[in-house]
Amino acid sequence: MSRHKREYRDLPEFIIGITRDIWENRNISSLRELYAPDVVMCSPASIVRGNEAVINATMATLAEFPDRSLLGEDVIWCGEHGSGFLSSHRLLSMATHLGQGFYGKSTGKRFAYRVIADCHVMAGKWCIDEEWLIRDHGAIVRQLGKTPEDFAREQIILEGGPGKATTPVRHQDTLGTKYSGKGNDNPFGKHYADILGEIMDGSFAVIPREYDRACHLEYAGGITGHSHGDADRFWMGVRSSFPDAVFRIEHRIGRHDDNMPPRAALRWSLVGSHSGTGAFGHPTGATVHVMGACHAEFGPWGLRREYVLIDEVSIWKQILISSEGD
């Protein structure tokens, strides 16, 4: 048996354990067995194929942030070992910018940001063959003293201008992947999907109706908020930027475990034009794909905690490539 192979009590033990082992214990070579040889890792910025490419990306990140630690806040999951699992893992990542890399020359700055990673674990194997990953790039670049718009513009210039820059992932690029399921039918997952569906339909009255008045909110950009007004401002800022975009729920998981509140995890997309004024400035008409992931916890008075991630840098990059390349 390989030194990397072992049995796990359940899916959370597997997901949290291998995350720490890879990133903090530096067992990067274990990715050759923990990830399928043809694994697909999809983020808003790019699609990485094959575990050797995942290993290379992992080493590049650790070279830039050698003290990176990843605290597993929750794993919301469904499935079983014999038929395969789907997990949604929320992490709080902390690191110091000590090396040169994607974010430029070393600044020595210390920062924290969240990640949500949805993983499909193959039937009968402790092995991941597909992953959807959203980092809070907006929080990272703000802590480096830049705006997501300015950082996206810098990326485009470094890549040779709007005509040569790498375009972020389009929605059609995410289709036809190995995992064809949609999660589970747990009522808390359905309820959260219904809430988000009403928001995306423009019915923001759902927020005071379904959110606890004392709700705690953690939003993209490293924003912490509380209560109905902060929830309304965040979701209004996103939806009003892309008012004609088509909203889809890609994955939906609901779960209720002992000693924990009922929870839900959603991965979703908005595909359409930047035709409204909101969190992304004046409308440009650019075609945009927004990949979103969110977790929610429910209590006796409604939705009590919400965590929402989108990649603001990738969204701005799509807008700028389109508007500045004309």
Side-chain angles (χ1 to χ4, degrees):
M1 179 182 287
S2 165
R3 59 194 174 96
H4 297 307
K5 288 291 186 181
R6 55 163 287 191
E7 285 301 311
Y8 298 88
R9 182 178 64 237
D10 55 24
L11 186 67
E13 182 182 75
F14 170 70
I15 294 293
I16 292 174
I18 68 169
T19 300
R20 183 175 183 181
D21 200 41
I22 292 165
W23 289 98
E24 297 182 38
N25 296 341
R26 297 299 201 268
N27 285 327
I28 302 170
S29 64
S30 67
L31 284 162
R32 293 190 175 94
E33 296 171 356
L34 297 170
Y35 281 55
D38 59 348
V39 64
V40 177
M41 183 176 287
C42 181
S43 73
S46 65
I47 295 180
V48 176
R49 299 181 186 276
N51 56 18
E52 291 302 323
V54 174
I55 287 171
N56 293 341
T58 302
M59 289 193 294
T61 299
L62 284 172
E64 194 168 9
F65 308 108
D67 66 345
R68 187 182 185 212
S69 59
L70 296 92
L71 306 180
E73 293 185 323
D74 200 1
V75 180
I76 302 173
W77 59 283
C78 63
E80 54 188 38
H81 193 52
S83 57
F85 295 108
L86 178 66
S87 76
S88 189
H89 182 198
R90 190 179 75 249
L91 298 155
L92 180 63
S93 180
M94 296 180 290
T96 310
H97 189 215
L98 296 174
Q100 182 167 333
F102 179 78
Y103 296 100
K105 294 181 179 179
S106 169
T107 63
K109 292 186 176 181
R110 178 80 174 164
F111 55 84
Y113 63 95
R114 280 188 168 81
V115 180
I116 293 178
D118 287 7
C119 293
H120 179 246
V121 179
M122 300 167 66
K125 300 179 181 180
W126 293 113
C127 184
I128 295 167
D129 64 352
E130 199 153 293
E131 182 170 345
W132 301 263
L133 179 74
I134 302 180
R135 296 184 185 91
D136 191 354
H137 274 150
I140 295 171
V141 300
R142 285 184 175 91
Q143 290 171 85
L144 292 173
K146 301 178 182 181
T147 68
E149 179 182 5
D150 287 342
F151 187 80
R153 186 173 281 108
E154 290 175 8
Q155 277 192 308
I156 292 168
I157 293 170
L158 287 171
E159 293 171 5
K164 296 182 179 180
T166 302
T167 303
V169 172
R170 302 166 300 170
H171 186 260
Q172 57 264 40
D173 298 329
T174 69
L175 303 177
T177 48
K178 297 181 184 66
Y179 176 72
S180 59
K182 293 294 183 181
N184 68 9
D185 291 326
N186 179 279
F188 290 102
K190 287 184 174 181
H191 184 49
Y192 191 30
D194 288 343
I195 290 172
L196 195 52
E198 286 196 51
I199 289 171
M200 292 300 177
D201 282 341
S203 181
F204 290 88
V206 71
I207 291 173
R209 189 177 76 239
E210 297 292 350
Y211 283 56
D212 189 324
R213 186 168 174 267
C215 60
H216 180 99
L217 312 165
E218 295 287 345
Y219 288 147
I223 296 169
T224 297
H226 299 88
S227 200
H228 302 154
D230 287 347
D232 184 276
R233 276 186 287 277
F234 173 80
W235 285 115
M236 186 74 75
V238 173
R239 190 47 163 155
S240 65
S241 297
F242 315 106
D244 67 352
V246 176
F247 170 70
R248 298 181 181 88
I249 298 288
E250 310 290 351
H251 290 166
R252 181 188 72 201
I253 307 172
R255 191 159 187 91
H256 195 181
D257 293 298
D258 291 343
N259 301 316
M260 297 190 75
R263 293 113 68 218
L266 303 175
R267 184 171 70 83
W268 50 271
S269 63
L270 277 174
V271 182
S273 64
H274 179 221
S275 57
T277 301
F280 295 91
H282 295 295
T284 62
T287 299
V288 173
H289 168 222
V290 179
M291 183 189 296
C294 47
H295 285 186
E297 298 178 7
F298 294 90
W301 300 290
L303 191 157
R304 61 194 300 265
R305 291 192 180 95
E306 185 175 46
Y307 304 83
V308 183
L309 293 186
I310 57 176
D311 184 344
E312 296 167 280
V313 172
S314 290
I315 296 169
W316 273 113
K317 194 176 183 187
Q318 293 173 81
I319 291 169
L320 294 172
I321 287 174
S322 177
S323 60
E324 297 183 0
D326 294 339

